[in-house]
């Protein structure tokens, strides 16, 4: 076992990080992990953190107590930040900077692993910049974003860049077969469908409901036979995203609320002490923000699946020879390619990307998706 086991198809990155750990005294104190969704940004940052704290080997043994604690997120000198809502504010960032300034309690480094650092607000990013400019001697910042351009140029310039690539389909399929016991045919099918997104591929392989939802998304193009069906298809997409978000957040919300109420001194009869309403309201607001983010992410995944359909159609129309993402729909895709033109397919892909941008700009999801399905019908 190694701390690097979860990094699929990222050999050059592993060597880069191993080399940095072995040159302890010259190591940068701020790192920026970038790469497409599913490439393993957070996994790479966590493996790097484990190697930095490893008590047995500078390359990260993977079996000592320090490695295990870092990989599980329980190490005392590792702070893992996962923005749950739509953004990460300046107040939270200042508190984080204060915690990061302390000396390691037992490990070699005080490490802050900031997932989705691109969600930091402008004020939060400026507060973060000050901490990265003058870090304490044993503090390391590990920031994760899809692209370097997602952060302020002043932050980027102070970070060592680690660029991950989309893992090859064959590598993702091999991991599913060897680690998850997925049969080879299913592993290859979902690896292509996930387009290199490892956790997405694993979910598709092990969760029949996830496969059903994806199949419904890919059925949208053949349902666009008129204005009314297009509007109905849009409503179905949004409702499916809401249902998925509800499943993902409800259980977590309940456990968080229960833990907080207990910590605040809830009585056996369910009564709360005076002055605790504010803390409960703050938690409720964070949970609502997280639910909005999860719903938006779920809908964005659906749009990317839809884009893969038209990507396959365009591939066939242009005779590019590239392997299809949705090989199980090959016959339908060939029919769609024959009925349309490359120009029309490109307009449909542009409409999907425009819809994603509108959702990120907080446009009403139903209105944005209705505009999309109507555009897909008429393009």
């Amino acid at each position: 076992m190694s701390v690097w086991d979860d990094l699929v198809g990222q050999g050059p990155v592993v060597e880069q990080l191993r080399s940095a750990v072995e040159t302890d005294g010259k190591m940068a104190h701020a790192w920026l992990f970038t790469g497409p969704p599913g490439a393993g940004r957070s996994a790479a940052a966590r493996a790097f953190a484990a190697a930095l704290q490893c008590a047995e080997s500078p390359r990260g043994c993977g079996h000592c107590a320090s490695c295990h604690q870092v990989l599980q997120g329980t190490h005392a000198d590792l702070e893992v930040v996962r923005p749950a809502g739509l953004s990460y504010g300046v107040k939270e960032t200042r508190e984080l900077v204060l915690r990061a300034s302390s000396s390691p309690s037992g490990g070699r480094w005080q490490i802050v692993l900031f997932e989705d650092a691109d969600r930091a607000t402008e004020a939060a990013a400026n507060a973060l910049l000050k901490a990265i400019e003058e870090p304490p001697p044993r503090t390391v910042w590990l920031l994760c974003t899809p692209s370097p351009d997602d952060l302020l140029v002043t932050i980027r310039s102070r970070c060592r860049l680690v660029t991950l690539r989309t893992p090859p389909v064959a590598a993702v399929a091999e991991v599913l077969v060897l680690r998850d016991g997925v049969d080879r045919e299913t592993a290859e099918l979902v690896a292509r469908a996930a387009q290199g997104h490892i956790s997405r591929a694993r979910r598709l392989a092990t969760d029949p409901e996830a496969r059903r939802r994806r199949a419904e998304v890919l059925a949208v193009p053949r349902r666009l036979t008129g204005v009314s069906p297009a509007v109905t298809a849009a409503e179905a997409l949004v409702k499916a995203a809401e249902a998925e978000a509800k499943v993902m957040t409800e259980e977590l919300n309940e456990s968080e609320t229960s833990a907080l109420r207990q910590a605040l001194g809830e009585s056996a009869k369910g009564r709360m002490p005076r002055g605790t309403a504010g803390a409960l309201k703050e938690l409720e607001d964070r949970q609502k923000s997280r639910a909005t983010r999860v719903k938006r992410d779920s809908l964005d995944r659906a749009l990317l699946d839809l884009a893969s359909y038209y990507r396959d159609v365009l591939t066939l129309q242009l005779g590019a020879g590239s392997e299809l993402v949705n090989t199980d729909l090959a016959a339908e895709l060939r029919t769609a390619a024959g009925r349309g033109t490359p120009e029309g397919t490109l307009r449909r892909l542009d409409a999907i990307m425009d819809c994603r941008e509108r959702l990120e700009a907080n446009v009403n999801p139903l209105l944005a998706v209705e505009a999309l399905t109507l555009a897909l019908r008429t393009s």
Side-chain angles (χ1 to χ4, degrees):
M1 177 184 175
S2 166
V3 297
W4 312 103
D5 283 351
D6 284 338
L7 293 184
V8 179
Q10 306 292 350
V13 167
V14 172
E15 290 307 312
Q16 176 188 1
L17 297 177
R18 278 177 170 169
S19 176
V21 177
E22 291 169 353
T23 56
D24 182 303
K26 299 180 180 179
M27 197 189 69
H29 286 260
W31 294 74
L32 177 57
F33 293 78
T34 69
R41 297 186 301 267
S42 298
R46 192 180 292 271
F48 185 41
L52 288 172
Q53 301 289 28
C54 183
E56 302 293 334
S57 167
R59 297 175 73 85
C61 70
H63 55 74
C64 70
S66 291
C67 282
H68 179 74
Q69 290 166 1
V70 172
L71 294 176
Q72 295 298 315
T74 59
H75 197 287
D77 295 322
L78 172 68
E79 178 91 20
V80 180
V81 181
R82 297 188 185 92
L86 298 174
S87 62
Y88 194 77
V90 65
K91 178 183 177 182
E92 299 160 293
T93 303
R94 286 171 178 160
E95 293 172 352
L96 174 64
V97 169
L98 183 62
R99 294 194 300 273
S101 64
S102 60
S103 299
S105 61
R108 300 163 60 200
W109 301 89
Q110 180 70 249
I111 300 175
V112 181
L113 198 172
F114 196 157
E115 299 181 2
D116 298 322
D118 50 305
R119 294 188 188 176
T121 64
E122 183 177 354
N126 287 326
L128 184 62
L129 171 62
K130 293 180 181 179
I132 291 176
E133 282 180 324
E134 301 178 2
R138 303 305 295 178
T139 296
V140 178
W141 289 85
L142 309 179
L143 311 179
C144 302
T145 69
S147 166
D149 295 334
D150 293 327
L151 290 182
L152 295 175
V153 65
T154 44
I155 291 180
R156 299 200 309 265
S157 65
R158 288 162 175 79
C159 295
R160 182 79 62 82
L161 183 63
V162 179
T163 304
L164 289 87
R165 63 170 184 163
T166 300
V169 167
V172 175
E174 190 69 15
V175 168
L176 294 176
V177 171
L178 297 179
R179 296 188 202 170
D180 300 289
V182 180
D183 67 89
R184 178 72 61 176
E185 183 179 356
T186 300
E188 291 177 354
L189 184 67
V190 299
R192 280 192 294 271
Q195 300 179 71
H197 195 304
I198 301 168
S199 60
R200 172 77 165 147
R202 183 176 288 116
R203 189 179 305 116
L204 288 171
T206 59
D207 184 358
E209 186 64 19
R211 292 197 296 273
R212 184 193 64 78
R213 284 194 295 266
R214 186 174 189 277
E216 288 184 354
V217 171
L218 295 176
V220 166
R222 60 178 175 268
R223 294 171 58 189
L224 304 179
T225 56
V227 173
S228 180
V231 172
T232 301
E235 184 179 6
L237 278 176
V238 174
K239 284 186 175 180
E242 291 174 344
E244 183 177 15
K246 185 177 181 181
V247 170
M248 295 176 66
T249 58
E250 270 189 347
E251 185 176 345
L252 183 57
N253 289 351
E254 289 176 6
S255 62
E256 286 179 344
T257 302
S258 177
L260 180 59
R261 292 178 71 91
Q262 185 177 0
L264 293 175
E266 182 180 24
S267 71
K269 295 183 178 180
R271 295 176 181 173
M272 297 298 299
R274 290 184 178 180
T276 59
L280 289 170
K281 179 64 167 60
E282 184 178 349
L283 175 62
E284 183 182 346
D285 290 341
R286 288 202 305 270
Q287 290 174 341
K288 287 181 178 178
S289 180
R290 178 174 61 204
T292 301
R293 167 56 64 178
V294 172
K295 174 183 170 183
R296 184 179 293 175
D297 290 346
S298 176
L299 193 51
D300 191 63
R301 281 193 298 272
L303 294 177
L304 290 175
D305 286 335
L306 191 57
S308 75
Y309 181 98
Y310 290 108
R311 174 265 184 201
D312 284 346
V313 170
L314 185 63
T315 295
L316 292 170
Q317 288 172 332
L318 297 177
S322 302
E323 188 174 15
L324 300 179
V325 172
N326 304 288
T327 53
D328 52 327
L329 297 177
E332 177 183 333
L333 293 167
R334 282 193 289 270
T335 299
R339 288 176 177 171
T341 64
E343 293 78 12
T345 305
L346 282 170
R347 285 195 293 271
R348 290 181 172 92
L349 285 167
D350 286 341
I352 294 172
M353 297 304 113
D354 288 344
C355 183
R356 295 181 69 207
E357 291 179 5
R358 292 188 187 111
L359 291 172
E360 194 61 33
N362 214 26
V363 172
N364 180 282
L366 183 56
L367 293 178
V369 179
E370 282 180 352
L372 168 63
T373 53
L374 290 171
L376 294 177
R377 175 181 172 270
T378 57
S379 292

